[in-house]
Amino acid sequence: MPAATATIDVSALYALHGDWLKAWLRRHTRCAHRASDLTHDTFCRILEGADTAPIRDGRNYLATIARRLVIDEARRAKVEAAFLDAYHALMDGAAEPGPDRIAEAVSELLAITRALHELPDKARRAYLLSRIEGWNHADIAEELGVSKSMVKQYVAKGYARCYAVTYGAPRDRAPAG
Amino acid sequence: MRSLMEHRAIEPRQDNSEPTPDIVKRAAEWLAHLESDDADDADWAGFEAWRSEHSAHELAIERLGGLGERLRGGSEVERETLRRLFLRPRRRMGGALLAVTVLGGVGWLATTRPEVQLYFADERTAVGEMRSVTLADGSRVVLSTDSAADVGQNGGRSVRLLRGELLAEVAHQGPTPFVVQTRDGTAEALGTAFTVRKDAEATLVTVVSSHVRACPAKSAGTNCLTLAPGERARLKGDEAIRLDPVSPSDAAAWSEGWLPVEDRALGDVLAELNRWRSGPIRFDAAALSTQRVSGMFPLRDTDQALANLARSQPIAIDRSDPASPIVRLRVK
């Protein structure tokens, strides 16, 4: 058997390791329901081709993807907690937001968060101060201790990152002909 | 707040109206320029000309404009969430750092903090603790358990790791290189994120993203290695040795409170957990040497990590001393 194959036989992988992965995730999340969801997500990730690393060891491969999903989950929990804190701070005394409202907001915020995480610290702050606080570039430059032209570059970088996360990284066109 | 949620429908388009990287970059620069106060009428005219030049330009502007509005036009709760996640904690830390910089002569440190006097370190963590420090240039250093470092030397871009481990996230490339130094050598950032771990005998440098130049202390700038993401080097004396690479996302998982393990000896894993515990797990490494472990273990709750291990490994845990449990191989 070759050590690495270009295509991944997902159904074989599922038959061999699906139950093991569910058990693995149950141990690491301590919740059977989430373990099932994450098992499902892991195989979806493979089908989407987001992970095309050669498989040397099916279990290690699955565990690597599943682990990343567990970390994503932790990030999601952090975003959700911050959202609820913000909600209660602003809507003092209002009723809890409904589950749909939370789910919608968190998934949107996660997409933005993913883009922001990829920016260097100052670029992230410059972009946020511009876009959510509506500060002008001169104030941002003073706050961050950089030049105004630097702020402009940071904001442009922020735009470009959000674009890539929402629409996929832009690709160069194949030369015509 | 629907407007934030509604992604613009992406219609199938002619291939050449799909923006290329250059077009997206240019469009982002236009928007950033126009929202600064420097834009005059000529700039606006130039922008309109560029935009109408090609359908791909038009589309890039339309998409980017929509993204910008999603943040500014979104609800206050979403904006407040992003503030809490990204803006506030940083500012608080920046303030704290400034106070240390202003007051922080050795004399002040020595008289007010005896443990600092003892170790001459600006930043220390206790066993099981983890701390994030933002440097003056915006770079971030996360100190792992039981670690000590002098941070912000040489204009803020030099860190001396005295013991333990740290993750460096370098804010940007500046005129001064960002360097982490130990007794065994240096790691110089050619990009953004890497970890440095100082053990009793040697120093381990692991790259999380971009590249790092790792140099052993006693080689006068020779024998250096340039490392790519996931690559690791062991520095000792005048040698830099390349080790087997690891997954880049795993290299700094500890900074999020996780220990990722892929096919490692059980004894190694327990030793790793012990770095985060004041009462060590006791075990006989030789007796456990045949057991291999894969999994993800919580570092903030090493008792839980141990319980997880017990479910997948043939081990028995003796908790007669709860602070310092004993792990033995279960007899069949």
Side-chain angles (χ1 to χ4, degrees):
Chain A
M1 200 174 127
T5 48
T7 54
I8 297 166
D9 186 344
V10 176
S11 55
L13 207 57
Y14 189 83
L16 271 174
H17 300 308
D19 285 341
W20 169 83
L21 181 67
K22 213 176 283 178
W24 187 91
L25 281 161
R26 205 176 300 133
R27 276 204 306 281
H28 293 290
T29 60
R30 279 173 269 155
C31 170
H33 182 69
R34 273 173 68 213
S36 298
D37 283 355
L38 284 169
T39 304
H40 179 248
D41 290 353
T42 302
F43 283 97
C44 282
R45 230 1 119 92
I46 298 170
L47 284 169
E48 284 162 7
D51 291 277
T52 50
I55 312 178
R56 272 167 312 195
D57 174 332
R59 289 192 180 187
N60 272 345
Y61 174 70
L62 289 171
T64 302
I65 297 173
R67 182 181 305 143
R68 234 175 274 154
L69 289 170
V70 171
I71 290 179
D72 279 355
E73 277 242 321
R75 210 166 267 166
R76 173 181 288 273
K78 204 163 146 190
V79 168
E80 186 174 322
F83 172 77
L84 289 174
D85 283 352
Y87 186 92
H88 290 303
L90 293 173
M91 314 277 189
D92 196 20
E96 284 284 312
D100 287 356
R101 167 82 173 96
I102 299 176
E104 254 187 332
V106 167
S107 87
E108 175 75 13
L109 285 163
L110 267 177
I112 295 170
T113 303
R114 211 170 296 134
L116 292 170
H117 269 302
E118 291 174 23
L119 290 172
D121 188 70
K122 282 195 181 180
R124 175 165 56 227
R125 290 177 59 192
Y127 186 68
L128 284 170
L129 288 173
S130 157
R131 297 319 307 169
I132 69 178
E133 308 292 27
W135 286 23
N136 66 39
H137 287 195
D139 289 344
I140 298 172
E142 202 187 318
E143 167 80 12
L144 299 181
V146 299
S147 66
K148 267 173 69 183
S149 68
M150 202 66 217
V151 171
K152 208 182 289 182
Q153 284 179 42
Y154 286 153
V155 171
K157 231 183 237 180
Y159 269 119
R161 265 337 297 170
C162 288
Y163 183 102
V165 165
T166 311
Y167 296 102
R171 250 169 293 183
D172 275 315
R173 231 167 263 145
Chain B
M1 181 234 24
R2 294 220 60 86
S3 68
L4 193 83
M5 312 308 315
E6 276 165 0
H7 294 254
R8 233 161 262 265
I10 307 172
E11 303 130 37
R13 294 195 182 248
Q14 294 290 320
D15 194 34
N16 74 345
S17 72
E18 195 53 44
T20 63
D22 282 346
I23 293 174
V24 172
K25 184 163 176 280
R26 190 76 193 101
E29 285 165 0
W30 269 120
L31 291 184
H33 180 63
L34 294 177
E35 69 176 51
S36 73
D37 325 316
D38 315 335
D40 56 21
D41 289 352
D43 289 328
W44 279 97
F47 166 69
E48 286 305 335
W50 183 82
R51 175 196 179 121
S52 53
E53 210 169 79
H54 198 287
S55 57
H57 297 184
E58 191 94 42
L59 179 60
I61 290 290
E62 187 191 313
R63 286 178 174 175
L64 287 169
L67 290 170
E69 281 317 302
R70 261 159 72 188
L71 284 178
R72 189 169 275 178
S75 94
E76 188 53 32
V77 182
E78 269 81 353
R79 283 197 293 274
E80 179 61 22
T81 309
L82 291 170
R83 262 179 221 126
R84 281 163 189 256
L85 285 168
F86 293 107
L87 292 174
R88 295 227 178 102
R90 286 297 148 94
R91 201 167 300 170
R92 221 177 291 133
M93 262 189 266
L97 187 77
L98 189 67
V100 173
T101 318
V102 173
L103 296 169
V106 172
W108 175 79
L109 287 171
T111 51
T112 55
R113 289 166 63 182
E115 80 279 14
V116 171
Q117 187 182 21
L118 186 60
Y119 288 100
F120 297 103
D122 298 348
E123 295 291 339
R124 293 196 67 213
T125 49
V127 171
E129 192 194 356
M130 182 156 69
R131 190 183 313 141
S132 169
V133 182
T134 303
L135 306 186
D137 72 338
S139 296
R140 190 168 78 114
V141 168
V142 184
L143 276 190
S144 184
T145 175
D146 194 18
S147 302
D150 286 336
V151 299
Q153 325 246 292
N154 296 348
R157 289 175 70 83
S158 173
V159 174
R160 192 169 172 80
L161 178 64
L162 303 164
R163 79 164 185 212
E165 181 168 17
L166 62 77
L167 162 69
E169 290 178 343
V170 183
H172 58 88
Q173 287 297 88
T176 329
F178 188 100
V179 180
V180 176
Q181 193 181 5
T182 71
R183 201 186 55 199
D184 304 307
T186 56
E188 179 183 334
L190 306 174
T192 48
F194 60 100
T195 65
V196 179
R197 174 164 168 174
K198 168 98 191 77
D199 288 333
E201 295 104 53
T203 290
L204 187 67
V205 178
T206 309
V207 179
V208 180
S209 69
S210 202
H211 291 77
V212 167
R213 190 169 159 80
C215 298
K218 292 180 182 151
S219 68
T222 60
N223 296 353
C224 295
L225 290 175
T226 299
L227 306 171
E231 293 187 339
R232 302 187 297 162
R234 187 176 183 270
L235 304 178
K236 166 83 182 156
D238 60 357
E239 272 187 332
I241 301 162
R242 207 177 271 276
L243 302 182
D244 286 342
V246 295
S247 149
S249 63
D250 284 356
W254 60 259
S255 69
E256 307 202 27
W258 294 95
L259 171 66
V261 173
E262 220 153 298
D263 194 28
R264 284 176 71 180
L266 178 56
D268 285 357
V269 177
L270 294 177
E272 197 66 38
L273 293 177
N274 275 348
R275 294 179 63 223
W276 296 81
R277 294 177 64 95
S278 39
I281 302 164
R282 289 172 286 168
F283 59 96
D284 176 3
L288 302 181
S289 64
T290 54
Q291 294 304 315
R292 309 296 292 183
V293 178
S294 290
M296 187 85 163
F297 300 96
L299 289 169
R300 294 189 193 286
D301 186 351
T302 52
D303 282 327
Q304 182 60 49
L306 194 53
N308 289 353
L309 273 171
R311 262 174 265 162
S312 64
Q313 297 285 324
I315 54 173
I317 303 170
D318 174 353
R319 294 189 193 277
S320 42
D321 175 3
S324 194
I326 302 170
V327 171
R328 294 193 187 88
L329 218 50
R330 215 158 43 210
V331 189
K332 275 182 194 144

